[in-house]
Amino acid sequence: MQKHAIIGAGAVGSILYYLLKDNHEIDIDIYAKEVRKLYITKNDEPIETNKKTKILPSKTQYDTIYICVKATATKTLIEDVLNMCHDHTNIIICQNGISQVDLFNHPYTYHAVVYISGQKKNDEVVYFQDNTLILPDDDKLITLKQCTDLSQLNIVLDENHQEKQWFKLLVNLGINTITALTKNTAQVLEQKQIESLTEQLLAEGYTVARHHGIALGEETIEDIMAIYKTYHPLMGTSMYYDVCENRLTEFEYIQGYIHHLASSYQLLTPILNTVTALLAGYQYKRK
Ligand SMILES: NC(=O)C1=CN([C@@H]2O[C@H](COP(=O)(O)OP(=O)(O)OC[C@H]3O[C@@H](n4cnc5c(N)ncnc54)[C@H](OP(=O)(O)O)[C@@H]3O)[C@@H](O)[C@H]2O)C=CC1
Ligand SMILES: O=C(CO)[C@H](O)[C@H](O)COP(=O)(O)O
C-alpha cells in the first residue's frame, strides 16, 4: 500500500483525490486550511466522497506528496512538507508557471505539467475536464506511474519534459491572460479580435522560448489555438477565477517570468509588456 498526501484541497487537489480514490493500492490524505468534507461536482452531478480533509502540520510520512496550492503559497509550506518526507518520497508540484522545484531541499522533487481543469468556489469544486500530469521520464517515477495507471489519473513520463513545461506555460500565457483581463471565459476566443490578440501574444511567448533555448516546434501556436477550441465555452482559468474573486494572481510565475526573460534577451514584445503591466497593475496594493 502506497501512502499519498495531497496538499491543498482546491480545484486541482480535490480533482486529483477524485481521480485517485478508486485505486485501493493507494491510501490518500488530503490537507486543507481547515477540516471539512470534500464536495465535488461534474456535469452538475455531485460526486460522492466522504473524504474529510486534514490540516498541517502532520507527523505522517508519505511515499508521494502532491503540492496543489497556488504558486504564491508554496513557500509557506516547505518545512511542513519536508517533515512529511522519508528518504524516497516523491514531491510532485502540481502548479502552472515556472517550476518551484528548487525551493525544496529534497532530491525527488518534480514539477508536473498539469492538464486538469476545475474551479473551487466556496467549498465546492467543479470538475470541468482533463486528467493528466506530465512528469520527467525518471526511473524514480516508474512505481508512481504503475500505481496510478490503476486509477483515473493519467501520469505521462516524458523525456522532453522541459519542452512540455514551456508548451503549457504558453497555453497559460494565452488563455489565462485573455480570460483574466476580459473577465470572460473561453468563449471570448470566438471574437476575432481576441483570437488574433491571443495569437500575437503566443507568438511573442514563442519567440522568448526559442531565445531561451527551448526547442518548441513551428506548429506550437497552431497546436495551442487548437487546444483552446477543445475548451468548454464556459470554462475559465485559475487566473480568471482569481480576478473574479478579487484575489491575487500567479502572474509573476507566468506572464511576469516570460516578460523578465524577454527583457533580458532585449526582445521586442509589446503585447506581453502591456498585459504584464496590466496584471501587475491589477494587484498593485491589493491584498
Ligand atoms: N484550476 C485549474 O483548472 C488548474 C490549476 N492549475 C494550477 O494548479 C495550482 C493550484 O490551482 P487551483 O487548484 O486552481 O487553486 P485553488 O485556489 O483552487 O486551490 C488551492 C488550495 O490550496 C489551499 N491552501 C493554501 N494554502 C494552504 C495551506 N497552507 N494548507 C493547506 N491548504 C492550503 C487553498 O485553501 P483556501 O481555499 O482555503 O484558500 C486552496 O483550497 C495553481 O498553480 C494553478 O495555476 C493547473 C491546471 C489547472
Ligand atoms: O490545461 C488546462 C486544462 O487541461 C487548464 O485548465 C487551462 O490551460 C486553463 O488554465 P488553468 O490551468 O489556469 O486553469
Side-chain angles (χ1 to χ4, degrees), residues 111-113 115 131-138 141 145 148-149 153-159 161 164:
H111 178 99
V113 179
Y115 284 97
N131 61 341
T132 298
L133 298 182
I134 305 179
L135 286 162
D137 188 15
D138 185 323
L141 294 171
K145 173 160 172 59
T148 52
D149 277 349
L153 176 66
N154 176 33
I155 287 191
V156 176
L157 303 185
D158 195 307
E159 57 185 12
H161 183 255
K164 296 298 184 305

Side-chain angles (χ1 to χ4, degrees), residues 247-262:
R247 292 188 299 241
L248 301 184
T249 74
E250 296 178 302
F251 91 95
E252 283 165 280
Y253 300 83
I254 303 172
Q255 296 85 351
Y257 171 63
I258 304 171
H259 177 257
H260 168 76
L261 289 179

Side-chain angles (χ1 to χ4, degrees), residues 172-207:
N172 291 118
L173 173 68
I175 195 70
N176 292 35
T177 304
I178 296 300
T179 53
L181 291 179
T182 61
K183 281 200 172 181
N184 204 338
T185 57
Q187 66 193 359
V188 76
L189 282 171
E190 292 163 16
Q191 215 194 24
K192 285 292 162 207
Q193 277 169 300
I194 294 291
E195 186 188 36
S196 161
L197 180 68
T198 308
E199 275 172 334
Q200 291 173 61
L201 177 59
L202 289 176
E204 292 183 4
Y206 177 78
T207 303

Side-chain angles (χ1 to χ4, degrees), residues 96 114-117 130 168 171-172 175-176 231 235 237-238:
N96 283 329
V114 184
Y115 284 97
I116 285 175
S117 178
D130 305 326
K168 181 70 203 301
V171 169
N172 291 118
I175 195 70
N176 292 35
Y231 291 167
M235 186 185 118
T237 63
S238 44

